[in-house]
Amino acid sequence: MGLTLTAMPDTLTVCRLAPDSELPAWATAGVFWSITRTADELSVVVTKECVPAGVRAEGAWRALKVAGPIPLTEVGVLASIAEPLRRAEICLFVISTFDTDYVLMAAEHLEEARLVLSQTGHRVC
């Protein structure tokens, strides 16, 4: 399964807020953002520059967007990406939408991830 992945331009960060927090305005700033609320937390992925000081945030992440739309019934899409990255010891964080997946890794591993995925038959732009 050869997929086409495109590197997104922004550096992202993953933020954790209390589960009962109001959605802050900065959470929807920028071009790319993702918000998930559970009973345990409010998780926000947003462009790093949008996050104010004092917010609990992890890392500088870069994202590879999988070309879509991908049918929700398609099997093995993430496995074909995650397994080569696991072998290369590159941690990942995935955001899935109705149409596609975004695979995030530490910014310093983006070029290595591009190489690893290219060597496994994926096209990385």
Side-chain angles (χ1 to χ4, degrees):
M1 167 186 306
L3 301 168
T4 299
L5 300 100
T6 303
M8 303 292 289
D10 293 327
T11 299
L12 306 170
T13 194
V14 181
C15 306
R16 185 192 190 286
L17 301 160
D20 58 348
S21 295
E22 292 293 321
L23 186 62
W26 58 261
T28 59
V31 176
F32 183 97
W33 45 272
S34 179
I35 300 167
T36 303
R37 184 185 300 274
T38 69
D40 301 317
E41 67 179 298
L42 175 62
S43 180
V44 177
V45 179
V46 67
T47 305
K48 189 174 176 91
E49 291 77 28
C50 296
V51 181
V55 173
R56 183 175 173 192
E58 287 273 333
W61 298 85
R62 290 293 305 275
L64 292 174
K65 177 184 178 182
V66 181
I70 301 167
L72 294 174
T73 55
E74 186 75 28
V75 176
V77 172
L78 285 176
S80 74
I81 297 167
E83 180 55 25
L85 295 179
R86 182 200 62 81
R87 284 193 307 268
E89 298 184 0
I90 298 173
C91 295
L92 58 92
F93 181 93
V94 177
I95 298 172
S96 295
T97 68
F98 190 91
D99 283 342
T100 194
D101 298 306
Y102 296 83
V103 181
L104 286 67
M105 72 278 316
E108 66 265 19
H109 294 296
L110 178 63
E111 291 309 314
E112 182 183 2
R114 284 178 153 175
L115 178 63
V116 166
L117 294 171
S118 294
Q119 290 171 341
T120 60
H122 296 305
R123 181 173 178 257
V124 185
C125 306

